[in-house]
Amino acid sequence: MKSINMKKLASNMVTGVLFFALILMVFVVVTSKASGGEPQIFGYQLKTVLSGSMEPGIKTGSIIAVKPGGDMSRFSEGDVITFKQEENVLVTHRITETIKNGNQVMYRTKGDNNDSEDMEPVLSENVVAEYNGFTIPYVGYFMDFTNSKNGAFLFIIPGILLAIYSAFTIWSAISQIEALNKKDSSNVEKIV
C-alpha cells in the first residue's frame, strides 16, 4: 500500500513538473510574440549577452533582465544601461560620465572588462533600458538556440512528454483494472 502511495505521489509530481514546463514555454512564446520578439516577465525584458565586455559580473551567454521605459535622461555614473549602438545592435555597458548640454543628455560608457571607454557617447534617446543586476549565467545560449528553426522544436517537447506520460499512466491504470478483473473472475470460478 505504501509503494502505491509513493508511486501515485511520484506520478503527480512528474505530471505537475511537465505541466508547469508546458505552461512556462507557452507563456514565454506568447509574451515574446506580443512584445515583438522580446521575452518579458513582470515588465522586464530578457536579453542575451553575446560578448564578454561586462565580465566577470555578466558572463557571455547569460541572460539579463532589463527594465525598459521611463525617463532615459535620469541615469548617472555607475548605472548600467542597454542602448542602441546601431540599428539592430544593443549594448549593455556602465556609464562612466553624464554629459548635459542644454536639454540634451549623453552618456560616456564602458564595458567593465574593456580597457577604454566606448568611442561615441550615447544619446539618452538611444537608451532602451536599465540593467537591474539580475543575470542567469549560460541560459542565453539556450535562449538563442530556441529562437533558431531547430530550437523551436524545444517548445514542443514538454507537451509531447506530457502526452506520452499521460498515455503511459492511462495504460498502467487500465492494466491494473484488467488484472483486478481477471483476479476477481478467477475467484468467482473457484467458488462455483
Side-chain angles (χ1 to χ4, degrees), residues 1 16 32 42 55 57 61 79 94 102 122-123 134 162 169-170 178 187:
M1 191 69 167
S32 69
F42 305 117
E55 287 188 358
D79 291 339
R94 189 173 308 279
V122 178
L123 294 171
F134 179 79
L162 187 60
T169 303
I170 291 169
E178 287 177 351
N187 284 340

Side-chain angles (χ1 to χ4, degrees), residues 126-181:
N126 290 339
V127 178
V128 296
E130 177 182 18
Y131 171 65
N132 71 344
F134 179 79
T135 182
I136 303 175
Y138 309 114
V139 175
Y141 292 127
F142 174 76
M143 296 287 282
D144 271 352
F145 179 71
T146 59
N147 287 332
S148 70
K149 288 182 181 181
N150 293 335
F153 180 70
L154 289 179
F155 290 118
I156 300 170
I157 290 175
I160 292 171
L161 290 175
L162 187 60
I164 291 170
Y165 183 72
S166 297
F168 174 75
T169 303
I170 291 169
W171 174 79
S172 178
I174 290 172
S175 297
Q176 287 177 354
I177 291 170
E178 287 177 351
L180 286 173
N181 286 341

Side-chain angles (χ1 to χ4, degrees), residues 67-171:
K67 184 75 170 171
D71 178 18
M72 295 304 175
S73 62
R74 71 182 186 273
F75 304 114
S76 59
E77 183 178 334
D79 291 339
V80 178
I81 58 172
T82 300
F83 57 91
K84 287 182 186 178
Q85 188 174 46
E86 296 173 18
E87 184 61 34
N88 291 324
V89 178
L90 293 178
V91 176
T92 300
H93 280 174
R94 189 173 308 279
I95 296 174
T96 58
E97 181 185 358
T98 302
I99 305 165
K100 295 184 179 181
N101 186 4
N103 290 338
Q104 193 173 30
V105 176
M106 295 186 295
Y107 304 109
R108 291 208 182 277
T109 56
K110 177 185 176 294
D112 291 349
N113 197 31
N114 293 349
D115 293 331
S116 59
E117 290 182 340
D118 299 334
M119 297 288 280
E120 298 290 323
V122 178
L123 294 171
S124 60
E125 298 89 50
N126 290 339
V127 178
V128 296
E130 177 182 18
Y131 171 65
N132 71 344
F134 179 79
T135 182
I136 303 175
Y138 309 114
V139 175
Y141 292 127
F142 174 76
M143 296 287 282
D144 271 352
F145 179 71
T146 59
N147 287 332
S148 70
K149 288 182 181 181
N150 293 335
F153 180 70
L154 289 179
F155 290 118
I156 300 170
I157 290 175
I160 292 171
L161 290 175
L162 187 60
I164 291 170
Y165 183 72
S166 297
F168 174 75
T169 303
I170 291 169
W171 174 79

Side-chain angles (χ1 to χ4, degrees), residues 27-81:
F27 177 75
V28 168
V29 168
V30 169
T31 58
S32 69
K33 295 301 179 190
S35 64
E38 295 290 337
Q40 283 195 348
I41 299 176
F42 305 117
Y44 287 89
Q45 288 183 348
L46 302 178
K47 305 285 187 190
T48 302
V49 179
L50 301 175
S51 77
S53 67
M54 289 296 288
E55 287 188 358
I58 304 173
K59 300 209 179 298
T60 305
S62 300
I63 60 166
I64 60 172
V66 295
K67 184 75 170 171
D71 178 18
M72 295 304 175
S73 62
R74 71 182 186 273
F75 304 114
S76 59
E77 183 178 334
D79 291 339
V80 178
I81 58 172

